[in-house]
Amino acid sequence: MGELNKSMGLGTRSQQQASSKARVHTGSLKIQRLRENALAYTFLAPSLILFAVFMFYPMIKSVYLSLHSTDPAGNVAAYVGLDNFATLFSSGQFLQGIKVTLLFALLTVPVGILLALVLAALTHSKLRGMRIFQFAFSLPMVLSVGSSAVIWKFLFHPTLGMFNYVLSLLHINPVPWLTSPDWALFSVAIMTIWMNLGFNYIILSSGLQGIPDDMYESAKMDGAGPLVTFWRISMPLLSPTIFFVTVVSIIGAFQSFAQINILTKGGPVNSTNVFVYSIYQEAFVNFRFGTGSAQAIVLFVVILLLTMIQFKWVERKVHYQ
């Protein structure tokens, strides 16, 4: 009996020791988890602060201002509800801005992606000297928008510009690149396509480099030509990259501002007055911060809807490995 009690006491003691070890282990896991969370939030803190200061606060402030009228100094004068939005949608200039922005996106996005894709495919081979072409096609990415716009403003100059000089050599009348409503948006689109070429080219070239070479060798052994190989192998495997470039390019087209401000300032006759430039004019030239903020909210909603539509419908065509 004594031995039984003794063995029972030993069993209870061992259980208590195991329970104590489990509690210590659980406590150490909690402390380790707290340390990991603290370390993660420490690394995230700079980004969260920057997002809060430069994104979340301006967005909340824009929503607030869009519901108020302001005086010429930018101070809130009165609560007007949705009157700013009603004024905006009844304005013919606002609808003109939407039309110009959509046309600008149609001119720049498809041509820019197609041109970058062709150049990436042509320089995908490992021939000698191909690095020079890759460097040249990537070069626009290192230039700022302001510098690029100044360079192209000289190229578009009606009398001193290179383009009209070349046309004169061909006995063609000079083109009013930036001074004609029929040519201004087209000219800005050319400059924007060139400016975005570097980014699109690097992304698409990287996508092509990620396709395994053995797939091309297998297609070659089966007798497939270069065009068939590109269409049946490169394009499906490159579709995630093309989708990414398309989404980024459309968002960039709707946010274009600097090149239009330098080249045309929205003119002539509002032919290049895109959405963002209209917001700039309304808020910082006319000092109507209420309607300017309302336009900014509408632009945010338009870009959000376009991005959601692309992820909902276009992404179905994307082939993921």
Side-chain angles (χ1 to χ4, degrees):
M1 190 68 181
E3 291 180 355
L4 180 61
N5 291 335
K6 188 176 181 180
S7 61
M8 289 179 62
L10 289 174
T12 305
R13 191 181 305 163
S14 61
Q15 288 177 355
Q16 290 175 348
Q17 289 177 349
S19 177
S20 177
K21 287 182 179 179
R23 285 197 296 271
V24 171
H25 182 66
T26 304
S28 62
L29 283 178
K30 288 182 178 178
I31 293 173
Q32 184 179 357
R33 192 174 301 166
L34 286 174
R35 287 177 179 172
E36 291 177 352
N37 290 338
L39 184 62
Y41 284 115
T42 302
F43 283 118
L44 286 173
S47 299
L48 292 175
I49 293 173
L50 289 175
F51 275 117
V53 173
F54 295 105
M55 182 173 289
F56 299 137
Y57 172 73
M59 186 177 295
I60 295 171
K61 187 73 174 180
S62 297
V63 174
Y64 174 76
L65 288 175
S66 67
L67 302 175
H68 294 76
S69 63
T70 57
D71 59 20
N75 300 316
V76 174
Y79 175 76
V80 295
L82 299 177
D83 288 353
N84 287 329
F85 292 94
T87 304
L88 203 63
F89 285 107
S90 62
S91 169
Q93 188 174 353
F94 173 73
L95 297 177
Q96 174 69 14
I98 293 178
K99 179 182 174 183
V100 172
T101 305
L102 290 174
L103 184 58
F104 181 72
L106 286 175
L107 286 173
T108 56
V109 176
V111 177
I113 294 175
L114 183 62
L115 182 61
L117 181 61
V118 170
L119 294 177
L122 291 176
T123 56
H124 182 55
S125 60
K126 298 178 181 177
L127 298 176
R128 292 185 61 184
M130 202 56 70
R131 294 284 184 187
I132 298 175
F133 292 98
Q134 293 175 348
F135 170 75
F137 297 147
S138 307
L139 192 59
M141 190 175 176
V142 303
L143 294 175
S144 66
V145 181
S147 302
S148 303
V150 171
I151 293 171
W152 279 81
K153 193 168 186 177
F154 280 110
L155 294 175
F156 285 132
H157 195 277
T159 56
L160 304 176
M162 181 65 70
F163 292 147
N164 279 345
Y165 173 73
V166 173
L167 292 177
S168 67
L169 296 178
L170 301 174
H171 303 288
I172 299 176
N173 293 328
V175 174
W177 297 101
L178 299 176
T179 55
S180 168
D182 298 329
W183 282 94
L185 187 64
F186 181 70
S187 303
V188 176
I190 293 174
M191 180 260 162
T192 305
I193 290 170
W194 178 85
M195 188 183 66
N196 295 334
L197 181 63
F199 174 79
N200 293 341
Y201 172 78
I202 290 175
I203 298 297
L204 293 173
S205 293
S206 302
L208 284 174
Q209 297 291 339
I211 299 175
D213 291 335
D214 54 355
M215 301 191 73
Y216 291 116
E217 294 173 0
S218 299
K220 190 175 181 181
M221 291 175 66
D222 292 337
L227 291 177
V228 174
T229 302
F230 181 78
W231 186 253
R232 295 295 179 89
I233 295 178
S234 299
M235 284 297 289
L237 297 179
L238 198 62
S239 56
T241 309
I242 296 174
F243 176 70
F244 167 75
V245 171
T246 303
V247 172
V248 173
S249 298
I250 291 177
I251 294 175
F254 274 80
Q255 295 177 339
S256 296
F257 170 76
Q259 65 269 40
I260 292 170
N261 185 38
I262 294 174
L263 291 177
T264 61
K265 296 190 180 302
V269 200
N270 291 326
S271 59
T272 59
N273 192 13
V274 295
F275 221 106
V276 176
Y277 193 79
S278 178
I279 294 173
Y280 165 74
Q281 280 190 316
E282 195 68 13
F284 300 105
V285 177
N286 301 325
F287 296 104
R288 290 196 284 262
F289 292 97
T291 51
S293 299
Q295 287 191 46
I297 299 299
V298 173
L299 175 62
F300 169 75
V301 173
V302 169
I303 293 177
L304 180 64
L305 289 176
L306 283 175
T307 306
M308 290 176 64
I309 289 172
Q310 290 176 87
F311 274 92
K312 179 71 176 178
W313 303 104
V314 182
E315 196 183 20
R316 293 181 179 179
K317 306 293 182 183
V318 175
H319 174 78
Y320 293 103
Q321 282 183 298

